[in-house]
């Protein structure tokens, strides 16, 4: 007999930077007995996922699919397929995830031109314009919703600059997708990745991605092989959209079952209703926290509704409060990253976790602890 | 309302090259409500998974962990972390997966020296010896269980050659792990990857991996960054085994729940019992198929017990029979890959699918159809 006991977990309330709570329907779908990854029934499920991802991303891009790995692998998918050694890339950095994009682009052998803004603020269009004019870039990459700081980055003006400069626009929508307005086609986004475990409220482990025709053209005209075999879209796309649906790797069947059900729930609610719910619960949390004296890190117009970055009040012990929230109330919130470690909390109201009861139990618990 | 209906799948009997059937306990564990990927409870679950992976791989390697992506990403993890541009690598090719290793090694900028054997046969030690002497390689990579051909590759003599030459031994154990003898430490394997969906019978999507101290030394002494951010073990290892358990990416929490339960089931059965069960059901299938006139592709001593490659009899229509098995009997078996497409079937008896009832229903259905 094994010395390892049956798994026991606590009934957490997930209000951190993801994963968010999953709907019981999603968990139930995920526990469906397995079918093969090349079974005609599974290929139909992939088609459904693709169609629903197009609807939720507001795009008609035929190359819309799901990377069989978490959001970071979605980020890497976009960059390794579009960049070759010697390319120039303008990367906007105003938090952890812009930093990560620059790191990956450099590993692709690209020369990175950085556009920076202080963490907690937005990237300025003028700075992007200057950077685009200073070099001969192939792409411009920017984070729509910086999970490390709680900043919502306006994209429309920056997209116009990218178009004018004739460069591809690559967007990180890990935290914004399915929680706030995101119009891939209308905003002229060429490559975009997200994650399953944020406002979509599927379990973590998958990354929905879309590529525009302009991005596919760049892929099709590469001089070198994509450095990652696993993420090479010239092969992956044949599994998702090829006439023959060629085997590439074994898809995570159960996670795809969950993804399909989570997408169905989003469409049943409707995108606009879902965005409005995220807005309403953000306001409920904001009013409650401000009444307790908390200050938000980010200026009002640029706050994410699904990820609330608040300053930890003077004299309050970060680790102790988060540990008491977890151990006494089963509530998970996130700490700060990098320069914000110990200075901010990140309260997630994503997908299923964007809920008035979640807000109320957190506010009540915080009032008792602090 | 969405136009997408509730997901409906057929109750398949999985006897292809993976995924295999999952135990209901594994599906139930997977549907446990989510907890955070940095929750102390989740870190404990990761510790359990690591310990049980060490036991099932028969290794004490501290760097034993699970890649958050399928087996192909496990393959890429081993190669991108150990190879740098300009390195030489001896890669053994006797099927699809050796071919894939060579492709990935070349994408790492390595010079690949190939040792080939006809598909369906084993790699010969003498050929390995000659290749090792012909160059100055950093590693020797070989597939233990070629899923594309059904060949079990003896490793002990080849391991001795690798040690004598002072090169790292990298092994693909995707299909052999948890189904037949695999002694990582005793056989001197330096880096090994597998998949969750074969003889472990967890859902597809994860890749257990182990690195020896010699492999870690190579990783620690790299001159260049690992080309993949997502698979860079210099960071991933701190999440799995670091004193601080630093955030790297968001782990696939639900899939890890499933993995833990699947490992627990393997240890409850016991490795030797499990290997014996795979042997017994292979013999049952073999006797039944041979009585019907089928011939195996592989010579007797080198047949995989969990993946039976049999020649399609003259005059039998491959696609039609497999389609009837699936549609009339809900049985999935695998077709041939590459040069064996249309020429062989691959019948998987992996993990939960290694079962006398599975064998009997397949034999009965085949007798009716053919």
């Amino acid at each position: 007999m094994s010395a390892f006991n049956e798994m026991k977990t606590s009934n957490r309330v997930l209000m951190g930077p993801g994963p968010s709570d999953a709907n019981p329907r999603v968990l139930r779908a995920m526990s469906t007995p397995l079918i093969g990854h090349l079974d005609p029934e599974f290929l139909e499920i992939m088609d459904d996922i693709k169609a629903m991802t197009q609807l939720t991303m507001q795009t008609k891009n035929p190359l819309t699919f799901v990377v069989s790995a978490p959001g970071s692998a979605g980020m890497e998918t976009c960059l390794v397929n579009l960049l070759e050694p010697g390319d120039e890339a303008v990367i906007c950095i105003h938090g952890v995830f812009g930093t990560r994009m620059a790191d990956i682009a450099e590993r692709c052998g690209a020369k990175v031109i950085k556009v920076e803004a202080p963490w907690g603020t937005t990237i300025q269009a003028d700075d992007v314009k200057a950077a685009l004019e200073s070099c001969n870039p192939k792409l411009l990459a920017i984070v729509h919703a910086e999970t490390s700081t709680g900043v919502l980055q306006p994209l429309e003006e920056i997209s116009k600059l990218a178009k004018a400069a004739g460069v591809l626009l690559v967007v990180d929508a890990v935290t914004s997708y399915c929680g706030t307005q995101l119009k891939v086609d209308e905003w002229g986004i060429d490559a975009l990745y997200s994650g399953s475990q944020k406002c979509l409220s599927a379990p973590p482990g998958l990354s929905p991605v879309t590529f525009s025709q302009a991005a596919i053209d760049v892929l099709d005209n590469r001089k070198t092989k994509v450095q990652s075999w696993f993420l090479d879209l010239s092969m992956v796309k044949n599994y998702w959209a090829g006439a023959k649906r060629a085997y590439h790797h074994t898809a995570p069947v159960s996670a795809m079952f969950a993804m399909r059900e989570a997408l169905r729930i989003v469409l049943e609610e409707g995108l606009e209703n879902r965005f409005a719910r995220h807005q309403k619960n953000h306001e409920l949390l904001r009013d409650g926290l401000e009444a307790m004296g908390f200050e938000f890190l980010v200026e009002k117009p640029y706050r994410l509704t699904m990820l609330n970055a608040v300053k930890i009040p003077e004299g309050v012990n970060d680790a102790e409060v988060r540990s008491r929230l977890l151990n006494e109330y089963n509530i998970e919130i996130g700490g700060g990253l990098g320069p914000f470690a110990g200075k901010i909390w990140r309260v997630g109201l994503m997908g299923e976790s964007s809920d008035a009861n979640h807000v109320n139990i957190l506010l009540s618990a915080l009032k008792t602890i602090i």
Side-chain angles (χ1 to χ4, degrees), chain A residues 76-91 101-102 104-112 137-141 168 170 211 218-219 222 224-227:
Chain A
E76 193 155 321
T77 298
C78 290
L79 295 171
V80 294
N81 280 281
L82 297 177
L83 291 174
E84 297 188 68
D87 285 339
E88 294 185 333
V90 173
I91 312 267
M101 288 201 293
I104 294 175
E106 281 168 357
R107 290 173 196 244
C108 297
K111 186 189 165 198
V112 172
K138 192 177 197 179
L139 62 80
L140 165 68
L168 297 175
V170 176
F211 265 49
V218 165
L219 175 65
R222 289 180 64 99
T224 59
K225 270 192 182 179
V226 174
Q227 66 189 29

Side-chain angles (χ1 to χ4, degrees), chain A residues 57-73:
Chain A
M57 287 185 173
Q58 305 185 60
T59 181
K60 295 195 163 58
N61 286 339
L63 188 53
T64 301
F65 63 102
V66 178
V67 173
S68 301
S72 306

Side-chain angles (χ1 to χ4, degrees), chain A residues 64-262:
Chain A
T64 301
F65 63 102
V66 178
V67 173
S68 301
S72 306
M75 179 190 286
E76 193 155 321
T77 298
C78 290
L79 295 171
V80 294
N81 280 281
L82 297 177
L83 291 174
E84 297 188 68
D87 285 339
E88 294 185 333
V90 173
I91 312 267
C92 301
I93 302 178
H94 55 145
V96 166
F97 297 95
T99 309
R100 185 174 297 180
M101 288 201 293
D103 185 351
I104 294 175
E106 281 168 357
R107 290 173 196 244
C108 297
K111 186 189 165 198
V112 172
I113 297 91
K114 295 178 183 172
V115 178
E116 300 190 71
W119 288 31
T121 72
T122 57
I123 297 288
Q124 297 302 306
D126 284 351
D127 295 338
V128 172
K129 190 163 185 282
L132 289 171
E133 286 166 358
S134 75
C135 58
N136 187 21
K138 192 177 197 179
L139 62 80
L140 165 68
I142 191 162
V143 178
H144 186 215
E146 240 311 338
T147 322
S148 63
T149 64
V151 166
L152 177 70
Q153 173 66 48
L155 289 179
E156 292 175 79
E157 194 177 349
I158 285 170
S159 171
K160 284 184 192 125
L161 294 172
K163 296 297 133 187
V167 308
L168 297 175
L169 178 61
V170 176
V171 171
D172 175 321
V174 170
T175 293
S176 53
Y177 171 57
C178 289
T180 192
Q181 195 54 266
L182 174 66
K183 296 179 173 177
V184 167
D185 287 356
E186 194 176 316
W187 294 355
I189 296 169
D190 292 300
L192 178 140
Y193 58 91
S194 186
S196 50
Q197 80 282 13
K198 309 273 184 175
C199 296
L200 177 59
S201 277
L206 296 179
S207 175
V209 167
T210 191
F211 265 49
S212 73
Q213 187 55 51
I216 295 172
D217 291 344
V218 165
L219 175 65
D220 288 345
N221 288 295
R222 289 180 64 99
K223 289 179 205 77
T224 59
K225 270 192 182 179
V226 174
Q227 66 189 29
S228 169
W229 183 93
F230 176 56
L231 303 175
D232 184 345
L233 288 189
S234 68
M235 297 184 292
V236 173
K237 71 179 182 188
N238 295 326
Y239 178 42
W240 274 89
K244 200 180 156 285
R245 309 297 285 260
Y247 162 64
H248 177 254
H249 63 275
T250 303
V253 172
S254 305
M256 293 291 184
F257 290 168
M259 186 87 176
R260 185 184 184 283
E261 190 65 9

